[in-house]
Amino acid sequence: MARAWEVPGLRGRARFREAAGRVILTRWAEMWSYRDGTELAEDIEELHAMRVSSRRLRAAMDAFEGAFPPKSFRRHLRQVKEITDVLGDARDLDVAIEGLTALLPGMAEDERPGVEGLIARYREDRAREQPRIVALFTRIDDERFAKRLDRYVGEHTGIRLATLKPRPPEA
């Protein structure tokens, strides 16, 4: 599983709003860093890492909801929830395919066709999920969600990505 990024400048005495900005923007940058790998769909671990990061972002947004005006905050949270949900649908299929494929070597020959058929169906379902992911990412880009989130968080917390500069953990 992908390690969570350290939140730059987060100290124990940080004000609630400042902490909110630092944590939310770091979690956004962490999640979005897996975008290209998730879009390519060559390694299921990229999607897994993005989904885990999206769940961290959602948890942070839930924890810091009080730092923002409720109505406008909910719009941003809904977008993040949609990302998590769309990734979750694909991830569930990846896990099922991987698990069933691992069972095949130990199965009797007469049992294999049914499981192989199920794997094939799940692979078809998973292939249909990928365009949904790509379309979601395209819409996020078209709507400039990342810039809007950065600006929104900055307006309410004083923290912006350009000055925060979150980075992935050292390997």
Side-chain angles (χ1 to χ4, degrees):
M1 179 170 62
R3 287 187 9 220
W5 292 16
E6 191 170 313
V7 179
L10 187 61
R11 292 171 183 50
R13 294 183 181 209
R15 296 191 134 158
F16 185 71
R17 286 187 189 278
E18 178 190 346
R22 290 180 182 283
V23 173
I24 288 170
L25 290 178
T26 298
R27 295 295 166 245
W28 168 261
E30 174 188 331
M31 182 198 75
W32 206 237
S33 73
Y34 296 104
R35 182 234 172 108
D36 291 342
T38 298
E39 200 165 12
L40 285 173
E42 293 173 353
D43 179 357
I44 65 171
E45 293 307 314
E46 289 289 313
L47 180 135
H48 177 56
M50 187 173 199
R51 181 160 185 263
V52 168
S53 296
S54 76
R55 292 172 60 116
R56 287 184 187 125
L57 174 58
R58 279 178 65 173
M61 291 178 81
D62 286 341
F64 290 112
E65 185 175 0
F68 303 92
K71 188 175 180 181
S72 58
F73 185 77
R74 279 192 296 275
R75 286 193 306 265
H76 292 87
L77 182 57
R78 267 195 308 272
Q79 180 64 76
V80 172
K81 285 182 177 181
E82 181 185 8
I83 294 167
T84 303
D85 292 345
V86 169
L87 296 175
D89 293 342
R91 177 63 183 163
D92 290 347
L93 290 164
D94 285 344
V95 169
I97 292 164
E98 189 175 58
L100 290 170
T101 301
L103 292 176
L104 286 174
M107 296 185 92
E109 279 302 312
D110 62 332
E111 296 172 331
R112 293 174 64 96
V115 174
E116 288 169 342
L118 188 56
I119 292 169
R121 191 177 106 217
Y122 285 169
R123 283 192 173 133
E124 290 170 7
D125 292 347
R126 178 59 179 89
R128 283 192 292 276
E129 289 298 319
Q130 196 59 30
R132 289 184 60 218
I133 293 169
V134 172
L136 174 63
F137 292 172
T138 300
R139 192 180 84 231
I140 288 169
D141 288 343
D142 291 347
E143 294 174 357
R144 298 178 158 195
F145 180 75
K147 288 184 184 204
R148 285 188 300 113
L149 179 66
D150 182 41
R151 191 172 338 134
Y152 179 80
V153 170
E155 287 172 9
H156 297 285
T157 69
I159 305 296
R160 298 291 299 262
L161 268 172
T163 54
L164 186 63
K165 299 179 184 168
R167 295 187 320 260
E170 300 292 323

